[in-house]
Structure formats: C-alpha cells, structure tokens
C-alpha cells in the first residue's frame, strides 16, 4: 500500500464527504461574489488608482549587478567550483562580509563625489545605513557565486558603488589574512631562535663528554654499538664455541676408551670420530676420495653409453654382428668393475679399524682434547677482562645516551618550527579564498523600480483579495437569504412559493383568512402557486406537515390559506392542529377549549371511533378542522404514540388532503416526530427575520429523521428595501400571522423592514368551486 492510498475505507468516505461538502461552499462563495461583484470591482478600481499614482510618482531606481566567484584555497588543496563539503558556511560568511558596515564604510571612502548622489542631504552617520538599504548580496544556490547588486537613482552611481564595495571587500580579506599570518610567523621565529641557542649548547656539551670519555661508538643497522661491549660479546661467543668443541672431543675419547676396555671393535665408531681424525684420511681408506669418486663416475657414464648404443643397434642388426658382440663384452666388463668396486668398499671399511692402530687413534683424540682445553681457558680469561672493562664504562655510557636523546628532541622541535614558518610563508602568498569578478558592474539605463508588470500584478491581486475579504465579512454579518435562488441552492430544496406581507383583515375565524375572503386578489395568488407546485411535484402529497424554524414565522397563516386553497380546488381537506403546546390554528378558527387531538390520543377508543365526532366543519366547503383539544403535559409522547399513527391513517382514508400544523422545528421535537409519519414537510421562512444558519439547521433536522422536505415557503415579503431586521426571540411565543399575539408569546415587532423578494407571477386561474365534491371512498388505514 502506497502512502497515497487510504488505510481504511472510512477514510475514503470521509474524504469524499469533505470534498462534497467543499463544493457547495465554493459555489456559495462564487454566488456571493457574483451578487456583490460591485464591491470587488470598486476595490479593484481603488487599487488601480493607487497603483497608477504610485507608478507615476515613484522615483526611478536603477540597478547594477556584479558576480563574484569565490574559491576556497588550502595549502595542499584547492576546492573546485562544484565542491560543497564545507563551502556553505564559507559562502554565507563572505556574503555577510560583503554587506558588513566596515566594508561599506571603506567603500564610501573610495567613492568619488559625483557618485555620492544617494548620500546628498544626509548626515555622515546615516551614510552606511543608506548604502546598506540599497545594497544586496545573495548566493546562487549550489554554486560558489555571490551576486552583489545596488539600486540607485543614477545608473552610473549604482555601478560605482558595486565596484567600490567589491574592491573594499577584497582589500579587507587580504589585509586581515596577512596581518594574522605575520603575527604568527614572528612568534614562531622567536621560539625557533631560542631553541637554536639551546640546541647549540647541548651539542657542544655532548661533543666534550665524548672526548672526555673516549667514546668510540659506531653505528650499525641495529643502532649505535659500543666497541667494548661488542668485544665482550664476541669473546663470549668464541668461548662458547670452544667449550662445545672440547666437550665433543672429550665425549668421543671417553666412548673409544670404554669400547677398547671391553674389547669391542671400534670400526663401527669411526664415523663418529671422522671430524677428529680427518675427513680425507677416512674417505681415502674407504675408497671414497674425490679421485675415486671421479673414476667411478666416468665408468658409470661409459656403461650407460654402451648400453644405449647396444639398444639402438639391436633394432637393426642380429646378435652375431661384430659390433654388437663387442659392445656386449664392454658392457660385461664395466658391470663387473663396478660390482667389484662396491663390494671392495665394504671390505675396506671393515678393515679400517685394523688398518689404524688403536693407540694412534687414542693419542690423536687426547691431543685434540688438550688443545681445546687450552683454547677455552684463554678465551675465558679474555672475556672476563673485557666484561670488567665494559662495566667500568657503563655510567659514562648512560650519561652519553641521555645527552644524545636531549639533542635529538631539540633537533626535532627545531625542524617542526622551521616547517610551520615555511608553511605560513606560503600562505602569505596564497590567500584563503580567491575572489574573481566574473561579471563587471555596468550601468543599466532601464529602471528596475517601479515595474509596470509588478505594480499591475500587485494591484490586481491586492484588489481581488481585499474585495473578497470585504464580501466575506459582509456575508458573515448579513446572515440572511438574499434571493430565492440562494435559499434553494443552500438548503437543497425548492422554493415552493413567495408570500407577500399580508395586511390584517377585520373579522374572526376564516373571515380573517385572505384566501377565503379575497380568493382572486394578488395576495392570495401565492397560495394558489403553492397548491400548484405541490400538485406538479410528482410526489405523493396527501399528508403535509407545515412548520417553521422559529416562532413568529407565520406557519399558521400558511396552513390556513393553503388548506382553503386546496378546498377551493375541490379537495376534501382536514387540518389537524398538532401544536399541543401553543395551538395557533385552533385559536385562529375560534375553536379553543373544544376537545380535539389531545382527547383522541388519550381516549380508550380507537381514533376511527373517537375522532369523527370531534372534527369541526368550517364555513369553507370541503374543509374540516380537528382542533388541538385540551392541553396535556406530555405532547411529545402523545404525538409519538400509535394512536397518532392511527389518527393519520383514518384522516388519510377520509380526506383527499391532510394538513398537520406543527410547532417550530427548532423550538421542540414535535415536528420531527410527526415528520416521520407524513408524506412531506413544508418549512415556512421569513427571509428578513430568519438567520440562514437557523433555517439550514431546521432543514437538516427534518432530513436527519427521514422526513421528506417538499420545499420552503418565503413568507412576509415586502417591496421595502430599507434593510434587514434582527430582533427576534427564541421563546416559544409567536404570532398567528395576522398580528394576534397569543397568551405567553413574545412580543415581536409588527413591522420589520425587509429587502424585497421578486413576487412570482402565476398565470394559473383556479375557479372557486360552487359546490363541495363528493366524498371519496374510505382508503385502508
């Protein structure tokens, strides 16, 4: 799974939901901008005027730019242009150095009077600050280039300032480097001179001590060797060799004497004494002298040659050939000679002990033993004398070695100081960095400020941004619906009708309902429009709920006029006043105090039995009313009971249309409970009074419970465009639509200035029926 893939399907859903929520917000913002486009255009116009004034009045600035190549140099290495191991810090340091006050101050001192245009009229203390304000140095990314630029009112001045700054920077780096190196060299030279005096003193003392001690040490591959010690070592080695030889002769003599005392043959021991008696004598007695060995080798070679020739001739000639016969004889003769020689060597060896007398052998061994003893004694005496002499000179040798090590240490320190001084001498010639001007600062006659494109871009972006901000703030402060299109798009439901603000009529009951009193007036045309919109909606609208978001929106007025309009169209209509808390419709038709909905819901009999006697006929043909009845303490529980479901089923079976007048949806939950049982809900909205967010919450409340929203009715519209009203309360008291205030209601203003909505012109003409239509058959509950 990649990083871009969601880890959970819920993340996909949430992402899609957030995207779908964002689209309406953007569309609404675009709609608000289009509606208030004059504000944006005015802001753009103001910004444009400011931009034009700035472009005309702003002083022209000219810029000159130079480019430096900075190469860091070391004693044994020069960094290339593309190397960046530690060059980042170096480049940043030198960039800050270019625009440092000390460099700028030196650059000002180098400027000619005619190039101090930007400094005229300013005190000398502000000169550095003035130049720094127009000076800029930046590092080209991933390179060793520094761009130095300066803006001035004069092109020549800009180029002169850049040249002066670069020259001042180079002078400062060279002077600072040479000054530091010179101080270091002086200190090191003084230390080297002092060390030279100490070294001379030590070397003279070493030489005098050697002369006094008679030191004759010589050098070898392993170091310095003292002659006396070397002589003692050699005498010791010679004495050990003499002792070894003496012991060897002594052992041989003892072995022979022991063999002779037992009467044994000493011929077998001759090989053990060959070194003592002499190699040549022994070999000669055995026939193994060099001469004998040479003759034996010649005969063997001759035998091999004869055998080879005989083999070659046997392939071509027979056995009786003279040459073959001759070769066979020679082969036989040579073979007999060699066989006789080898057998004779053994006999000669056996007779060796008999050939040499035993006394002669013993005498020779005793003489050799005496010579070895004398040699050993002489070597031992010489070794003891040499060892004694070496011991006498051991103290002198230790002192000599101490002086030599001291001299060697001072010589090494002297060489180290000399090397450091030499390296600093090289660094004086080679600066730590090398700055090369790869682009000279030249005067530029084209001003860099103000730039027409930049000014136009800033004005356009700034004006648009400020205009959008002003529109947004206005939209936040003005939390009202400003058009039917805006209301429909934001709520997601259609606007079914728009009702003008109705003037109160004299009379009571249905005599105060405009649709009944003035059926053909312009004020009642909106209710016929509402009736037609419901008929043409393509949805089942037999049971309709009428409610509002807040008290005082005129839901009872809409319910009364809509029910009369339906009855005038020949639809048997029943109005059920389900506002068990503040029954507005019951009060409107003067049925307050009569039994009704509350009594049906609390009755032991089913609604089909208990409801018909309580239904009140009205003066409008085809229109009946079921009043609210006596007040009960638990209206929500009554409306959510099965009895109310049965009541709606009975009403739906007896009437063509059922209008349920409910409390405001944001005040109590009664409307949400009833909304699950009807075919759809109509929400009454007063655009000049209701806040956008309140209406949206009301629609969401219905949709959250599964109630189908048929649409909204904009009520209380006026042609007065003086502004919006904001005074209203959240208490549950509200008007009945005709200015009559019920007991316990809050006092809402009778006249609320509003912004006019366009009033829909509906051409449909519906004639008032002359007689009531027949009652349709009962439908199954």
């Amino acid at each position: 799974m990649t990083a871009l893939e969601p880890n959970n399907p819920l993340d996909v859903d949430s992402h899609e939901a957030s995207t779908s929520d964002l689209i309406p917000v953007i569309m609404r913002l675009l709609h608000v901008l289009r509606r208030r486009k004059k504000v944006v255009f005015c802001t753009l116009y103001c910004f444009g005027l400011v931009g034009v004034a700035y472009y005309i009045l702003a002083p022209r600035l000219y810029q000159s730019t130079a480019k430096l190549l900075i190469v860091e140099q070391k004693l044994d290495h020069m960094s290339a242009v593309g190397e960046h191991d530690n060059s980042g810090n170096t480049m940043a340091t030198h960039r800050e150095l270019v625009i440092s006050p000390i460099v700028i101050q030196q650059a000002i001192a180098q400027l000619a009077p005619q190039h101090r245009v930007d400094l005229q009229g300013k005190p000398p203390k502000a000169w550095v600050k003035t130049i720094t304000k127009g000076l800029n140095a930046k590092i080209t990314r991933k390179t060793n280039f520094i761009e130095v630029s300066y803006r001035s009112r004069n092109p020549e001045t800009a180029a002169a300032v850049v040249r002066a700054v670069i020259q001042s920077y180079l002078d400062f780096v060279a002077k600072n480097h040479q000054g530091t190196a010179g101080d270091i060299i002086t200190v090191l030279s003084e230390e080297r001179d002092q060390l030279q005096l100490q070294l001379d003193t030590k070397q003279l003392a070493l030489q005098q001590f050697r002369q006094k001690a008679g030191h004759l040490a010589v050098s070898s591959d392993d170091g310095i060797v003292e002659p006396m010690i070397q002589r003692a070592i050699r005498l010791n080695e010679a004495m050990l060799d003499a002792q070894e030889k003496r012991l060897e002769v002594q052992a041989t003599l003892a072995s022979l004497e022991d063999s002779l005392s037992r009467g044994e043959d000493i011929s077998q021991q001759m090989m053990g004494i060959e070194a003592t008696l002499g190699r040549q004598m022994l070999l000669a007695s055995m026939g193994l002298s060099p001469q004998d060995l040479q003759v034996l080798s010649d005969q063997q070679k001759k035998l091999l040659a004869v055998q080879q020739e005989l083999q070659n001739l046997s392939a071509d000639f027979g056995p009786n050939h003279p040459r073959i016969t001759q070769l066979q004889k020679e082969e036989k003769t040579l073979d007999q000679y060699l066989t006789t020689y080898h057998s004779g060597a053994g006999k000669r060896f056996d007779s060796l002990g008999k050939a040499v007398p035993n006394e002669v052998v013993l005498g020779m061994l005793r003489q050799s033993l005496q010579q070895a003893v004398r040699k050993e004694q002489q070597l031992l005496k010489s070794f003891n004398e040499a060892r004694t002499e070496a011991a006498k000179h051991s103290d002198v040798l230790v002192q000599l070695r101490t002086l030599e090590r001291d001299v060697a240490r001072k010589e090494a320190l002297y060489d180290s100081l000399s090397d450091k001084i030499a390296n600093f001498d090289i660094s004086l010639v080679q600066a730590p960095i090398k700055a090369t001007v790869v682009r000279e600062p030249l005067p530029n006659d084209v001003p860099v400020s103000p730039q027409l494109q930049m000014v136009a871009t800033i004005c356009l972006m700034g004006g648009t941004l400020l205009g959008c901000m002003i529109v947004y703030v206005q939209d936040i402060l003005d939390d009202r619906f400003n058009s039917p299109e805006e209301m429909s798009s934001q709520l997601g439901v259609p606007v079914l009708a728009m009702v003008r603000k109705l003037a109160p009529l004299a009379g009571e009951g249905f005599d105060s309902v405009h649709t009944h009193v003035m059926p053909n007036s312009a004020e009642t045309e909106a209710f016929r429009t509402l009736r037609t919109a419901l008929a043409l909606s393509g949805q089942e609208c037999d049971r309709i709920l009428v409610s509002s978001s807040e008290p005082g929106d005129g839901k009872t007025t809409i319910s009364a006029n809509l029910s009369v309009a339906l009855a005038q169209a020949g639809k048997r209509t029943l109005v059920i006043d389900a506002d068990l808390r503040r029954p507005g419709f019951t009060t409107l038709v003067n049925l307050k105090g009569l039994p009704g909905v509350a009594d049906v819901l609390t009755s032991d009999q089913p609604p089909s039995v208990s409801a018909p006697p309580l239904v009140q006929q009205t003066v409008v043909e085809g229109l009946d009313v079921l009043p609210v009845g006596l007040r009960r303490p638990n209206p929500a529980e009554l409306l959510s009971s099965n009895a109310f479901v049965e009541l709606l089923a009975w009403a739906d079976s007896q009437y063509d249309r059922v209008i349920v007048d409910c409390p405001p949806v944001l005040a109590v939950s009664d409307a949400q409970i009833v909304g699950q049982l009807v075919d759809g809900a109509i929400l009454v909205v007063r655009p000049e009074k209701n806040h956008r967010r309140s209406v949206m919450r009301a629609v969401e409340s219905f949709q959250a419970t599964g109630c189908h929203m048929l649409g909204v009715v904009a009520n209380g519209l006026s042609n007065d465009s003086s502004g919006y009203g904001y005074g209203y309360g959240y208490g549950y008291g509200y008007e009945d639509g005709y200015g009559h205030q019920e007991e316990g209601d809050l006092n809402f203003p009778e006249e609320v200035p509003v912004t006019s909505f366009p009033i829909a012109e509906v051409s449909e003409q519906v004639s008032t029926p002359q007689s009531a239509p027949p009652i349709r058959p009962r439908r199954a509950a």
Side-chain angles (χ1 to χ4, degrees):
M1 182 177 294
T2 62
L4 297 178
E5 294 178 354
N7 296 327
N8 194 327
L10 295 177
D11 297 339
V12 179
D13 297 338
S14 61
H15 177 70
E16 293 178 354
S18 61
T19 303
S20 61
D21 293 340
L22 183 62
I23 293 177
V25 174
I26 296 176
M27 296 301 295
R28 177 176 175 274
L29 178 61
L30 294 177
H31 177 73
V32 172
L33 290 176
R34 183 180 64 179
R35 183 167 51 83
R36 301 180 183 271
K37 58 185 176 182
K38 292 183 179 180
V39 176
V40 179
F41 289 152
C42 290
T43 308
L44 284 173
Y45 179 74
C46 294
F47 262 79
L49 293 179
V50 173
V52 171
Y54 171 78
Y55 184 78
I56 295 175
L57 302 177
R60 268 46 180 172
L61 297 179
Y62 303 89
Q63 178 174 299
S64 180
T65 304
K67 182 176 288 188
L68 290 174
L69 172 62
I70 306 297
V71 179
E72 184 178 3
Q73 300 183 127
K74 300 179 181 179
L75 296 179
D76 55 348
H77 177 262
M78 177 179 292
S79 63
V81 174
E83 296 181 356
H84 297 279
D85 50 354
N86 291 322
S87 61
N89 295 335
T90 301
M91 295 298 295
T93 300
H94 285 276
R95 175 196 170 278
E96 295 297 328
L97 185 59
V98 169
I99 58 177
S100 62
I102 187 171
V103 171
I104 295 177
Q105 196 169 16
Q106 294 177 3
I108 293 174
Q110 299 177 10
L111 286 177
Q114 63 271 19
H115 293 150
R116 299 187 179 185
V117 177
D118 300 329
L119 306 179
Q120 294 178 358
K122 297 182 180 180
K125 293 182 179 180
W127 287 359
V128 174
K129 185 177 181 180
T130 302
I131 298 297
T132 304
K133 185 177 179 181
L135 185 64
N136 182 34
K138 64 179 180 179
I139 303 172
T140 305
R141 187 171 180 268
K142 293 185 178 181
T143 65
N144 284 17
F145 291 105
I146 297 180
E147 289 189 359
V148 183
S149 60
Y150 180 75
R151 292 187 177 186
S152 175
R153 291 176 293 176
N154 185 278
E156 299 291 341
T157 300
V161 170
V162 174
R163 282 193 296 267
V165 168
I166 292 177
Q167 187 60 43
S168 176
Y169 157 73
L170 296 176
D171 294 343
F172 176 81
V173 172
K175 180 180 179 181
N176 184 69
H177 169 68
Q178 291 180 358
T180 303
D183 295 340
I184 295 176
I185 289 176
T186 301
V187 174
L188 293 179
S189 299
E190 292 177 356
E191 292 182 1
R192 185 183 64 175
D193 295 341
Q194 294 178 2
L195 185 60
Q196 180 66 45
L197 296 176
Q198 297 176 5
L199 181 60
D200 293 342
T201 303
K202 290 293 183 180
Q203 289 177 346
L204 181 61
L206 177 61
Q207 184 178 3
Q208 292 176 355
F209 187 81
R210 284 178 176 176
Q211 292 177 358
K212 180 179 180 180
H215 181 62
L216 298 175
V218 296
S219 61
S220 65
D221 295 339
D222 297 331
I224 304 299
V225 180
E226 179 68 26
M228 293 184 181
I229 298 177
Q230 185 177 15
R231 178 173 175 272
I233 293 173
R234 289 178 179 176
L235 286 174
N236 184 46
E237 292 175 352
M239 184 185 67
L240 293 177
D241 292 340
Q243 287 179 353
E244 184 179 359
K245 187 175 183 181
R246 188 257 304 170
L247 293 173
E248 181 180 356
V249 175
Q250 188 175 2
T252 302
L253 178 60
S255 177
L256 288 176
E257 288 177 347
D258 183 63
S259 297
L260 290 175
S261 66
R262 293 194 302 268
E264 296 178 355
D265 187 7
I266 65 171
S267 59
Q268 300 298 327
Q269 301 180 12
M270 292 302 294
M271 292 303 296
I273 63 174
E274 57 89 16
T276 305
L277 298 179
R279 183 180 180 86
Q280 293 296 331
M281 182 182 70
L282 181 62
L283 292 176
S285 63
M286 296 177 62
L288 297 176
S289 64
Q291 294 81 5
D292 295 336
L293 294 177
Q294 183 65 36
V295 173
L296 183 62
S297 178
D298 292 342
Q299 294 300 323
Q300 288 178 345
K301 291 180 180 180
K302 187 175 181 180
L303 177 60
L304 293 174
V306 170
Q307 291 176 350
Q308 183 68 31
E309 185 178 359
L310 179 61
Q311 184 179 0
N312 294 335
L313 292 176
S314 297
D316 298 329
F317 301 100
N320 297 325
H321 191 273
R323 181 57 181 167
I324 293 177
T325 303
Q326 181 182 359
L327 291 174
Q328 289 176 349
K329 292 179 179 181
E330 292 180 0
E331 179 183 10
K332 185 178 182 180
T333 301
L334 292 172
D335 186 60
Q336 290 177 354
Y337 173 78
L338 294 175
T339 303
T340 303
Y341 179 82
H342 289 300
S343 61
K347 295 179 180 180
R348 287 191 298 273
F349 183 76
D350 294 337
S351 62
L352 179 59
K354 301 177 180 180
V356 181
N358 294 336
E359 292 79 6
V360 175
V361 175
L362 293 175
M364 293 175 63
L365 289 176
R366 291 188 181 98
Q367 184 179 2
S368 297
L369 180 58
Q370 293 176 358
Q371 292 177 355
V373 171
R374 286 194 296 269
K375 184 177 180 181
E376 181 181 355
Q377 292 175 350
Q378 292 176 356
L379 289 174
L380 179 59
K381 181 180 179 181
S382 299
F383 171 71
N384 291 333
E385 293 175 354
R387 184 175 59 182
T388 303
E389 187 68 23
K392 293 179 180 179
H393 291 275
S394 60
D395 295 338
V396 177
L397 186 61
V398 172
Q399 296 178 8
L400 183 63
R401 292 291 182 268
T402 302
L403 288 174
E404 288 177 348
R405 286 195 297 269
D406 195 7
V407 171
R409 185 169 58 253
K410 291 186 178 299
E411 287 177 349
L413 183 57
Y414 180 84
D415 294 340
S416 177
L417 290 175
S418 300
D419 292 340
K420 289 183 179 180
I421 293 174
N423 291 335
F424 272 99
D425 288 339
I426 295 174
S427 64
L428 281 175
V429 179
Q430 178 177 309
I433 62 101
K434 181 181 179 182
T436 305
V437 180
V438 297
R439 186 171 70 187
E440 293 288 343
L442 299 175
N444 186 8
D445 296 333
V446 179
V448 295
S449 178
Q451 296 182 359
L452 180 60
Q453 183 178 0
M454 181 64 68
V455 172
T457 302
I458 293 176
C459 292
L460 180 61
M461 295 180 63
T464 303
L465 180 61
L466 182 60
C468 293
M469 291 178 62
I470 294 175
V471 170
Y472 177 76
V473 172
Q474 289 180 344
D475 185 64
I476 292 296
L477 297 178
D478 181 19
D479 191 18
R480 299 290 193 278
F481 292 109
N482 296 282
S483 67
E485 294 81 5
E486 181 182 353
M487 181 183 299
S488 177
S489 63
Q490 293 189 19
L491 298 180
V493 295
V495 178
L496 300 176
M498 291 172 287
V499 181
R500 292 182 180 181
K501 188 171 184 179
L502 303 177
L505 298 178
E508 295 180 353
F510 282 96
D511 292 336
S512 62
V513 178
H514 287 71
T515 310
H516 174 65
V517 177
M518 299 179 295
N520 296 321
S521 64
E523 290 81 359
T524 60
E525 189 66 31
F527 299 103
R528 288 191 289 272
T529 302
L530 175 59
R531 181 188 63 191
T532 304
L534 294 175
L536 300 179
S537 63
Q539 301 175 1
E540 186 177 358
C541 300
D542 295 340
R543 295 178 292 184
I544 301 173
L545 180 149
V546 179
S547 180
S548 61
S549 61
E550 300 171 358
D553 293 340
K555 67 175 182 62
T556 301
T557 302
I558 302 300
S559 300
N561 286 275
L562 175 62
S563 60
V564 172
L566 292 174
Q568 291 175 351
K571 302 293 184 181
R572 281 180 51 82
T573 305
L574 173 65
V575 179
I576 299 177
D577 191 354
D579 192 349
L580 304 182
R581 304 173 190 269
R582 295 292 185 268
F585 196 93
T586 300
T587 303
L588 174 66
V589 295
N590 294 324
L591 298 178
K592 192 173 182 180
L594 297 178
V597 176
D599 301 277
V600 173
L601 299 180
T602 57
S603 174
D604 295 335
Q605 297 179 344
S608 59
V609 176
S610 60
L614 303 181
V615 173
Q616 304 294 327
Q617 295 183 349
T618 65
V619 296
V620 181
E621 295 184 6
L623 177 60
D624 296 337
V625 177
L626 181 60
V628 71
L630 300 179
R631 182 176 298 182
R632 296 295 191 273
N634 54 344
E637 288 76 3
L638 294 177
L639 295 176
S640 59
S641 62
N642 292 329
F644 188 75
V645 177
E646 295 177 1
L647 175 62
L648 290 179
W650 170 81
D652 189 27
S653 64
Q654 299 297 323
Y655 293 90
D656 297 328
R657 296 287 186 269
V658 179
I659 305 297
V660 183
D661 186 65
C662 288
V665 65
L666 296 182
V668 290
S669 61
D670 298 357
Q672 297 175 343
I673 296 174
V674 178
Q676 303 177 12
L677 308 176
V678 298
D679 297 329
I682 297 176
L683 185 67
V684 179
V685 178
R686 283 203 174 192
E688 83 287 353
K689 171 181 174 294
N690 297 132
H691 285 259
R692 182 189 299 113
R693 293 175 178 81
S694 299
V695 179
M696 294 177 68
R697 285 199 304 270
V699 174
E700 292 172 356
S701 299
F702 277 122
Q703 293 175 347
T705 58
C707 176
H708 175 64
M709 283 295 302
L710 297 175
V712 296
V713 174
N715 185 31
L717 303 182
S718 172
N719 291 327
D720 184 9
S721 58
S722 58
Y724 297 128
Y726 296 95
Y728 66 97
Y730 283 100
Y732 186 58
Y734 53 91
E735 295 180 3
D736 60 3
Y738 295 95
H740 300 106
Q741 194 77 17
E742 292 196 20
E743 182 180 357
D745 292 353
L746 297 178
N747 293 323
F748 295 99
E750 294 184 0
E751 296 295 334
V752 182
V754 298
T755 298
S756 62
F757 267 67
I759 303 301
E761 298 294 338
V762 181
S763 59
E764 179 191 15
Q765 299 293 333
V766 182
S767 60
T768 303
Q770 300 298 326
S771 62
I775 300 176
R776 60 178 178 173
R778 177 187 298 268
R779 286 182 288 181

